[in-house]
Structure formats: structure tokens, C-alpha cells
């Protein structure tokens, strides 16, 4: 009979052993497991090579494109393949849980850690994050979806409160986590550093238990972000099963004391122990080695799919490999390929674009300065590599502007003036503004951060050995001031107000009509595509796509829905599909839709929005090619009560007409009394002198108004009457 562990022993396993390991509990057969960062590569600190913050050196591993680049592929299958490769590298290293993916929404382009996140859109973030989790867990290694939740800035990240309404959380900041939890059952979820509406995420019972577990059915373990737990017993009670890092003697004592005082039921501790036991019970089959070359090739394929061709005036790209080129800029030789902080990987090898271009075409190089301008002047074509230096963006701090460094802006201006055939290639984790130089160059390639094989992929794309497939997963604004969170980022006094609500990214720009340099979903190909024969239903959008050009290419078909509700975003991404088509090839594609595609979060749940929804097929969130209409009945009308608002009474087909008739002309100047009191509950109106008596008859009508049959009949005849009236209108 196994010993029954003491409260002390049980409490001890809810806190880490050290930076990366958990505590074993042999009495219950619970082994110690090892975790390591991700997400875009394995960052395992070699024995004895760790440091107090767990940020020191690490064992070489494949550095895949960080999420900011990978997201531009819009290819969940590709991300899944990377997840499988990461799983294999973890199996070789003996890692049980890889800490990723990061699926926080890019609320502001200033967030220093945007390089580690996918998108401004929750559907795209969720689909790609799910691919990552599916891939890695298919290899027996656990994932840790992070950072749950509303961790959208680095400024004061351990103390700031994200002050955000529930509808915004439900519609924008939680759906990526929800999709991944419901479809992929991640082994762990990592709770974030920040507070949400004043409550630390680690102690947020509504978030970690009511929503994550009770509503979404999560049955894994919640692990804290490293150092995110302030008070261990309340965090455990809220649903944080494991505090990292360890050891935290005070935390164990805190839990023991809470149990002995009755503040924390021992059953809650036992539930956590059971979750940690289940986590430790998973054990991936060890692997002796992984194929470094194959992983590097996968990293290059991924990098190639992550590159977004933003501008290609006159079809200057792809370049002719038989012609000489000038390559300018240190980033060509010394690539910027990942972000700084806990995700930083020591790559197994590192391509650079300069060497790769030298293998394809006659090449001269200059890093910058007057040699560089002179080279541009005497060259046929220039490829200019610029971007954000490592110190401009990192985990731990946010940016304060969207500009490239001054010296690079000067170099762009000088080189573009010296040679009109200048192609600008960008390396950046967060969005940069392309002003004021955008119109001075014919071609711009957004390379984001592409991982260790990005240099080779970029060279192949520039010379047409690969076709550009990327589409923006984040809008590129003209100016920082145009961004929706501009006035509320990063907040002050440990509070940041999510005042823009769900109007983040293209949801804002398209609704308010703020122009952007390049919209979410934008990306050029070396070929062209035509859309035709759209058929939309509430279950899908089906259409035929044709490659109308002379080169093979990939199209990313984006399905947006525009709801019949002026208070909603102009359109929202509700599905997408990627198609690889040969020249002249046509294919019919079906983008699935579902009830959520036509719904909004309304007080206590998701409700379908009644009316005609426009399903729009876009090449981007701004460039809509086809559209169709889907009629949605909407939720069964709420029964009227005396606490219903006057607006509900007016919308009722039985009572509404009666009220309108009774109040016709009740105010001078055409202002209708009823419109003025639309938002007032009837019971409140009845408290006004004399009004109550006049509303008595309404009470008598309630049963009639709420009778479904009468209600339907009234609606039917009303529609007949109004349609007949329109036919009788004098011609
Ligand atoms: C860091 C990060 C988190 C990472 C963890 C371990 O502070 O916020 O993403 O997994 O600590 O390094």
C-alpha cells in the first residue's frame, strides 16, 4: 500500500524544484518533469549552465521562424509540422513540456514581445497555435499555451491590470486559447503575469476555473509564468496548479498553513496533486537524435512561407539570376532572425542572405555608408537589407515608436536616390512604419524574423526559386497615432484601459475608415488569382479560385463576416483557406463557417445576431472580391417582463404597434416620447406620477405578447401589411 503523502509533501509538489524541473512525489508515483522554452525552438539550459533568471546559454537547437513570421504563412499544417519537429528535439533532450505557443493578441504594434505572438486576429492566432500544439503533443511532448490572459504589453507586465470588459475578453483575447483548449487539449496552460480587472491572473478563479475548466473543459494543469505567483494559497485555490520557478519555501508553508487553518480545503490540494500526477504520467518515447539537416530544411520552407511581398511595382521581382546585383546592409550578412528574451535559441546553424545570394547571382556587397551609396549608383539593381536592431524590441520592454533607426532611414533615402531599382528587405519582429520612404522604392519585402534558415529562403524568393506566399497577420499603419490603442497604451499607474474594446487592428481601421499602408491579409504573389462562383450558407463559403498568371502560386482565401449591427466591427475574419495553384489551374474551395461566425457575446453568452450577414471573400481585410448574404434568425426573442426596456416592448409585434399608435404626436417638434425612453425599463417608467396607471393595460397584454403563436401570427400579418402598404405607395 503506498504511503499516504502528508499535506506538506502534497504542497511541495505544487511548487517547482528549480528553474525548469518539478518536484517528484514517489509515494504517489509522481516523477519530476522538465520544462523548457519555446516556442520557436528548444531553449534547454545545459547542466550547470543555467543562471538565476534561466536566460543564459542553451543547447543548440533548430531556430524556426518566430510566430510573427510564421503567422504570415496562414498555414496551420506547416506550423503542425514544426510542432512535430520541436517535439522530436524535445524527446532527444528529455524535455516533457515545451513552453509555447504564445497566442496573445497584438493589441498594439508597440508590444516588445509581438515577435513571439501570431496576430491581431484571434481566429488566425487560434488556428496556428492549435497546429503547434497538435504537432508537439503528437510526439508525446506537452505544450503550455501562453500567456493566459490579456498579456498584451511588456510595460509593468508583472503588476499592470488589464482593465477590459468581458465581451472584449470573450470575443478577442480569449478565443485563441478557447479554440486550442477545446480542439487540442494542451497538457498545460500558462497563466500570465498581469492582473485582469485588478485580480492577478494566477489568482483569477473566474479565468482559471470558471472559464478555462468549467466552461471550456480544460483538464490539464495550469502552470504559472515564471515569478507570476504572489500568494501561493489563493493562487492554488483559483486554479494555478504549479508555481514556477522553484524552490519557494514560503509558498509550501503558505499552502500548508492554509490547509491547516481551513482557508484552503485539502480536497482542492488533492485535485491539484491529481492534475500534476496526470501531467507527470505522460512520458514521450526518448529519441537518440534528430535530423538536423531535415529540420533546417523545414525551417527554410517555413521561412519562405513567412515572407510577405508587400510591393512589387513594375514586377521588378523576381530578379534575373544572370544579372548582377548589389547587396547593401549589415542585415544581409549578419541576419536578425529571432527576438530577445526567454525564447532566444542557440541555432544549430545560421544562413545569411548575402552568402545565399552570392550562390545565385553575381553579387557585390557593402554594409552601409558612402561605399554603399557609390555601389548603388553604379549597380543595375540593389537589394537593401534594413530592419530593427535587437535592442529595439524584446521581452521585458515595449517600443515607444514604429520607426526604423535613423541611420537606416538615411541609408534607404541615399540608396533609393542613387538607384531607382532598389528593393528593400525588412527584418523586424514588430511592425514598422514604411514612411516616408515607401514610394521611393519599387519593391518592399517584409521578412519579419525568419529563424536560422531565413537568409537562404529570402535569396530563393528574390530570384524566383520560391514564390512569395505570405499574407500579413497584422496591419501596417501609416503612423503610430492611427493605431486603435494609441491613447491607451501602455497605460499608467499599473492600469491599462482596453478602451478600444474589440476594435483592434483591422477591426478598427475598417470600421472607422482609417487608412493603413498595408491591411491585414495583404500579400502579393508572382502570379495573379481570380475568384468566381461564390455560394454562401451559414455552414460555409464556397468559391472557385483560378491562377490567372504564368507562374505557380499560393492564394490565401479569407472569409470575413459583416454583421447587421452598426455597433460591430465592419468585418471580422471567420475562416480562411490556402490554395497552391499551377498557372491556369482552377479549384473550388470551401471555407467552413459556424454559429460563432454570426454571433456576438451578449451579457451571459454567445447569441446569433439576427438579420442579413454579409459574407465577404477578401484578398485582405480591405480588398473584398466577392460577397453574399446569409440570413440569420437570431435568438428566440426574450420574454417580455415589466423589467424589460421600452425598446423591447417596441420591438414586440403585438405591443409595439399599440404603443406607437398610442404615443403618436405625444411630443412637439416630432420628437417621439417613446424614442426618448427606449432604454428605460418599464418598471422604472411606471414609478413616474400618473404613468403607472396608463401602463396598467400593458401588464394585461404581457401574456399575449409572450405567446409564441400570437407573436408569430402578428409578425406574419405585420410583414404582409407593411409589404402591401409599400405596394400601394403612389408611383
Ligand atoms: C518568461 C516568459 C515565459 C517563459 C518563462 C520561462 O518570463 O514570460 O513566456 O516561458 O518566463 O522562461
Amino acid at each position: 500500500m503506498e504511503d499516504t503523502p502528508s499535506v506538506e509533501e502534497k504542497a511541495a509538489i505544487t511548487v517547482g524544484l528549480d528553474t525548469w524541473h518539478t518536484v517528484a512525489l514517489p509515494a504517489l508515483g509522481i516523477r519530476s518533469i522538465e520544462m523548457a522554452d519555446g516556442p520557436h525552438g528548444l531553449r534547454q539550459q545545459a547542466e550547470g549552465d543555467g543562471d538565476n533568471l534561466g536566460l543564459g546559454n542553451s543547447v543548440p537547437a533548430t531556430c524556426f521562424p518566430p510566430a510573427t513570421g510564421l503567422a504570415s504563412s496562414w498555414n496551420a499544417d506547416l506550423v503542425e509540422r514544426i510542432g512535430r519537429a520541436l517535439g522530436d528535439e524535445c524527446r532527444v533532450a528529455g524535455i516533457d513540456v515545451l513552453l509555447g505557443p504564445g497566442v496573445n493578441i497584438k493589441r498594439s504594434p508597440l508590444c516588445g514581445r509581438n515577435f513571439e505572438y501570431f496576430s491581431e486576429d484571434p481566429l488566425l492566432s487560434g488556428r496556428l497555435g492549435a497546429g503547434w500544439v497538435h504537432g508537439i503533443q503528437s510526439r508525446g511532448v506537452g505544450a503550455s499555451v501562453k500567456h493566459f490572459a490579456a498579456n498584451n504589453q511588456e510595460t509593468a507586465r508583472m503588476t499592470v491590470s488589464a482593465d477590459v470588459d468581458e465581451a472584449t475578453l470573450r470575443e478577442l483575447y480569449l478565443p485563441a486559447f478557447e479554440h486550442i483548449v477545446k480542439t487540442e487539449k494542451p497538457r498545460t496552460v500558462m497563466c500570465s503575469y498581469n492582473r485582469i480587472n485588478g485580480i492577478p491572473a494566477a489568482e483569477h478563479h473566474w479565468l482559471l476555473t470558471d472559464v478555462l475548466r468549467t466552461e471550456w473543459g480544460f483538464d490539464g494543469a495550469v502552470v504559472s509564468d515564471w515569478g507570476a505567483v504572489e500568494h501561493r494559497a489563493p493562487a492554488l485555490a483559483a486554479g494555478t496548479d504549479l508555481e514556477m520557478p522553484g524552490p519557494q519555501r514560503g509558498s509550501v508553508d503558505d499552502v500548508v498553513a492554509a490547509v491547516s487553518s481551513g482557508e484552503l480545503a485539502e480536497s482542492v490540494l488533492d485535485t491539484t496533486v491529481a492534475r500534476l500526477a496526470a501531467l507527470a504520467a505522460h512520458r514521450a518515447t526518448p529519441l537518440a537524435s534528430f535530423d538536423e539537416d531535415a529540420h533546417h530544411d523545414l525551417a527554410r520552407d517555413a521561412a519562405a512561407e513567412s515572407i510577405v511581398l508587400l510591393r512589387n511595382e513594375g514586377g521588378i521581382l523576381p530578379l534575373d539570376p544572370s544579372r548582377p546585383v548589389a547587396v547593401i546592409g549589415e542585415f544581409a550578412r549578419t541576419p536578425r532572425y529571432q527576438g530577445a528574451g526567454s525564447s532566444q535559441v542557440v541555432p544549430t546553424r545560421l544562413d545569411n542572405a548575402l552568402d545565399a545570394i552570392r550562390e545565385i547571382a553575381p553579387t557585390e556587397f557593402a554594409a552601409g555608408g558612402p561605399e554603399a551609396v557609390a555601389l548603388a549608383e553604379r549597380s543595375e539593381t540593389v537589394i537593401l537589407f534594413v530592419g530593427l536592431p535587437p535592442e529595439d524590441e524584446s521581452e521585458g520592454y515595449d517600443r515607444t515608436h514604429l520607426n526604423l533607426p535613423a541611420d537606416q532611414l538615411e541609408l534607404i533615402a541615399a540608396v533609393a536616390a542613387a538607384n531607382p531599382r532598389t528593393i528593400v528587405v525588412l527584418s523586424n519582429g514588430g511592425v514598422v512604419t514604411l514612411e516616408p520612404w515607401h514610394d521611393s522604392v519599387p519593391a518592399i519585402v517584409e521578412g519579419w524574423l525568419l529563424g536560422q534558415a531565413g537568409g537562404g529562403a529570402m535569396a530563393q524568393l528574390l530570384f524566383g526559386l520560391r514564390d512569395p506566399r505570405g499574407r500579413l497577420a497584422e496591419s501596417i499603419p501609416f503612423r503610430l497615432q492611427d493605431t486603435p490603442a494609441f491613447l491607451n497604451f501602455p497605460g499608467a499607474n499599473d492600469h491599462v484601459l482596453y478602451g478600444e474594446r474589440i476594435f483592434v487592428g483591422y477591426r478598427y481601421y475598417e470600421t472607422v475608415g482609417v487608412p493603413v499602408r498595408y491591411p491585414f491579409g495583404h500579400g502579393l504573389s508572382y502570379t495573379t488569382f481570380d475568384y468566381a462562383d461564390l455560394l454562401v450558407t451559414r455552414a460555409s463559403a464556397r468559391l472557385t479560385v483560378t491562377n490567372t498568371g504564368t507562374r505557380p502560386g499560393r492564394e490565401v482565401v479569407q472569409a470575413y463576416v459583416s454583421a447587421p449591427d452598426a455597433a460591430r466591427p465592419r468585418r471580422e475574419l471567420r475562416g480562411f483557406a490556402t490554395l497552391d495553384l499551377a498557372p491556369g489551374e482552377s479549384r473550388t474551395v470551401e471555407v467552413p463557417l459556424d454559429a460563432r461566425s454570426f454571433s456576438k457575446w451578449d451579457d451571459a453568452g454567445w447569441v446569433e445576431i439576427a438579420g442579413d450577414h454579409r459574407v465577404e471573400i477578401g484578398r485582405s481585410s480591405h480588398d473584398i472580391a466577392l460577397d453574399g448574404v446569409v440570413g440569420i434568425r437570431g435568438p428566440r426573442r426574450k420574454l417580455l417582463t415589466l423589467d424589460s426596456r421600452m425598446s423591447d416592448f417596441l420591438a414586440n409585434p403585438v405591443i409595439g404597434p399599440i404603443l406607437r399608435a398610442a404615443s403618436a404626436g405625444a411630443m412637439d417638434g416630432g420628437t417621439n416620447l417613446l424614442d426618448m425612453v427606449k432604454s428605460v425599463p418599464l418598471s422604472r417608467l411606471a414609478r413616474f406620477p400618473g404613468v403607472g396607471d396608463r401602463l396598467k393595460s400593458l401588464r394585461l397584454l404581457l401574456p399575449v405578447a409572450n405567446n409564441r403563436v400570437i407573436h408569430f401570427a402578428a409578425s406574419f400579418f405585420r410583414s404582409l401589411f407593411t409589404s402591401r402598404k409599400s405596394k400601394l405607395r403612389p408611383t
Side-chain angles (χ1 to χ4, degrees), residues 20 26 30 50 92 111 162 182 260 265 365 391 518 538 595 648 715:
W20 302 114
I30 298 174
V92 171
C111 176
K182 287 182 174 177
S260 58
F365 172 72
E391 61 274 11
Y518 288 108
R538 56 177 297 139
D648 296 329
S715 303

Side-chain angles (χ1 to χ4, degrees), residues 511-631:
T511 304
V512 179
V514 170
V516 295
R517 176 53 80 182
Y518 288 108
F520 172 85
H522 170 76
L524 301 178
S525 170
Y526 287 152
T527 186
T528 52
F529 300 96
D530 182 57
Y531 295 176
D533 307 330
L534 175 65
L535 175 65
V536 297
T537 68
R538 56 177 297 139
S540 74
R542 191 177 67 195
L543 68 149
T544 301
V545 182
T546 303
N547 178 340
T548 49
T550 58
R551 297 175 65 100
R554 167 166 301 169
E555 181 60 310
V556 178
V557 174
Q558 302 156 42
Y560 296 88
V561 170
S562 178
D565 179 343
R568 305 255 346 135
R570 175 68 185 76
R571 59 177 59 96
E572 296 179 274
L573 182 73
R574 294 310 194 199
F576 62 90
T578 57
L579 291 174
D580 293 336
L581 295 173
E585 182 186 2
S586 290
R587 197 173 317 148
T588 297
V589 65
E590 193 146 20
V591 180
L593 300 171
D594 58 21
R596 190 72 73 87
S597 306
F598 305 98
S599 299
K600 65 179 179 181
W601 180 266
D602 185 11
D603 292 340
W606 290 98
V607 291
E608 287 189 336
I609 302 164
D612 289 343
H613 292 246
R614 191 164 296 285
V615 178
E616 301 171 324
I617 302 300
R619 293 185 172 84
S620 76
S621 56
H622 186 72
D623 177 7
I624 301 303
L626 295 174
D627 64 23
V629 174
V630 172

Side-chain angles (χ1 to χ4, degrees), residues 87-361:
D88 287 346
E89 295 194 25
C90 287
R91 291 165 64 194
V92 171
I95 297 296
D96 299 290
V97 174
L98 195 65
L99 302 172
V103 295
N104 292 104
I105 293 298
K106 301 188 181 185
R107 174 176 178 245
S108 166
L110 291 176
C111 176
R113 212 168 170 186
N114 274 353
F115 65 84
E116 207 172 325
Y117 303 144
F118 289 108
S119 177
E120 67 190 36
D121 179 86
L123 183 137
L124 182 57
S125 300
R127 298 286 173 81
L128 298 179
W132 196 99
V133 172
H134 190 88
I136 200 162
Q137 297 199 158
S138 71
R139 293 313 217 229
V141 177
S144 190
V145 193
K146 65 189 187 180
H147 306 87
F148 193 57
N151 183 183
N152 308 105
Q153 65 186 59
E154 293 301 289
T155 305
R157 65 173 174 163
M158 285 205 178
T159 54
V160 73
S161 173
D163 297 341
V164 47
D165 65 281
E166 182 175 2
T168 300
L169 282 171
R170 294 284 190 168
E171 294 202 34
L172 201 81
Y173 295 101
L174 298 186
F177 292 94
E178 178 183 10
H179 177 74
I180 294 168
V181 163
K182 287 182 174 177
T183 59
E184 298 302 334
K185 297 174 72 62
R187 295 256 185 81
T188 73
V189 166
M190 183 189 291
C191 72
S192 58
Y193 284 128
N194 55 284
R195 286 163 164 70
I196 296 151
N197 298 320
I199 301 171
E203 299 175 28
H204 213 299
H205 191 276
W206 173 81
L207 185 75
L208 302 181
T209 298
D210 298 347
V211 173
L212 180 62
R213 293 187 185 280
T214 309
E215 277 189 47
W216 296 351
F218 176 65
D219 60 2
V222 172
V223 60
S224 76
D225 199 341
W226 268 235
V229 171
E230 297 171 74
H231 314 105
R232 186 65 192 103
L236 197 143
T240 299
D241 302 300
L242 177 62
E243 172 184 3
M244 291 303 284
Q248 306 287 350
R249 186 61 239 165
S251 289
V252 176
D253 295 343
D254 195 21
V255 171
V256 172
V259 170
S260 58
S261 70
E263 175 201 334
L264 180 71
E266 187 168 355
S267 60
V268 172
L269 177 57
D270 291 339
T271 301
T272 280
V273 168
R275 290 169 186 156
L276 296 175
L279 178 62
H282 293 283
R283 192 193 289 265
T285 312
L287 210 51
S289 65
F290 70 88
D291 185 337
E292 268 193 28
D293 293 337
H295 286 199
H296 186 73
D297 291 345
L298 173 59
R300 183 177 294 126
D301 290 345
E305 294 204 28
S306 303
I307 297 167
V308 184
L309 178 54
L310 295 177
R311 178 180 168 88
N312 189 19
E313 292 301 296
I316 187 173
L317 290 174
L319 297 173
D320 177 347
S322 69
R323 307 299 306 159
V325 289
V327 174
I328 295 174
E330 188 54 50
F331 280 107
R333 178 170 59 183
T334 312
R336 171 110 198 283
Y337 59 98
Q338 64 177 329
S342 63
S343 67
Q344 192 157 340
V345 176
V346 174
T348 56
R349 71 188 79 165
L350 183 58
D351 288 357
N352 69 72
L354 176 60
D355 290 348
I357 292 170
R358 281 183 167 141
E359 289 175 15
I360 298 172

Side-chain angles (χ1 to χ4, degrees), residues 270-529:
D270 291 339
T271 301
T272 280
V273 168
R275 290 169 186 156
L276 296 175
L279 178 62
H282 293 283
R283 192 193 289 265
T285 312
L287 210 51
S289 65
F290 70 88
D291 185 337
E292 268 193 28
D293 293 337
H295 286 199
H296 186 73
D297 291 345
L298 173 59
R300 183 177 294 126
D301 290 345
E305 294 204 28
S306 303
I307 297 167
V308 184
L309 178 54
L310 295 177
R311 178 180 168 88
N312 189 19
E313 292 301 296
I316 187 173
L317 290 174
L319 297 173
D320 177 347
S322 69
R323 307 299 306 159
V325 289
V327 174
I328 295 174
E330 188 54 50
F331 280 107
R333 178 170 59 183
T334 312
R336 171 110 198 283
Y337 59 98
Q338 64 177 329
S342 63
S343 67
Q344 192 157 340
V345 176
V346 174
T348 56
R349 71 188 79 165
L350 183 58
D351 288 357
N352 69 72
L354 176 60
D355 290 348
I357 292 170
R358 281 183 167 141
E359 289 175 15
I360 298 172
T363 304
E364 283 190 73
F365 172 72
E371 71 278 14
V373 178
L375 172 59
E377 277 164 351
R378 58 181 170 79
S379 299
E380 188 176 296
T381 302
V382 176
I383 309 173
L384 174 57
F385 287 77
V386 292
L388 287 181
E391 61 274 11
D392 271 30
E393 55 182 346
S394 167
E395 176 181 345
Y397 56 87
D398 295 321
R399 292 193 284 160
T400 56
H401 60 80
L402 299 183
N403 305 319
L404 289 171
D407 63 331
Q408 294 193 33
L409 291 173
E410 287 158 19
L411 183 60
I412 295 171
V415 169
N419 190 321
R421 284 175 54 83
T422 293
I423 296 137
V424 170
V425 176
L426 292 166
S427 296
N428 48 295
V431 155
V432 294
T433 175
L434 309 182
E435 318 311 317
W437 52 271
H438 174 274
D439 296 342
S440 65
V441 296
I444 302 171
V445 183
E446 177 55 86
W448 300 118
L449 300 176
L450 293 173
Q452 67 183 50
M458 182 59 76
Q460 292 175 326
L461 183 138
L462 292 170
F463 287 90
L465 304 177
R466 289 177 185 262
D467 62 280
R469 299 181 164 191
R471 299 292 185 275
L472 290 178
E474 182 181 2
S475 311
I476 300 181
F478 279 105
R479 314 174 306 155
L480 174 61
Q481 296 86 328
D482 296 337
T483 58
F486 176 64
L487 294 177
N488 285 313
F489 185 96
N493 306 319
D494 271 340
H495 280 273
V496 54
L497 176 64
Y498 283 42
E500 73 285 346
R501 295 179 297 120
I502 60 175
F503 295 87
V504 164
Y506 72 90
R507 284 175 167 80
Y508 171 77
Y509 301 122
E510 287 302 319
T511 304
V512 179
V514 170
V516 295
R517 176 53 80 182
Y518 288 108
F520 172 85
H522 170 76
L524 301 178
S525 170
Y526 287 152
T527 186
T528 52
F529 300 96

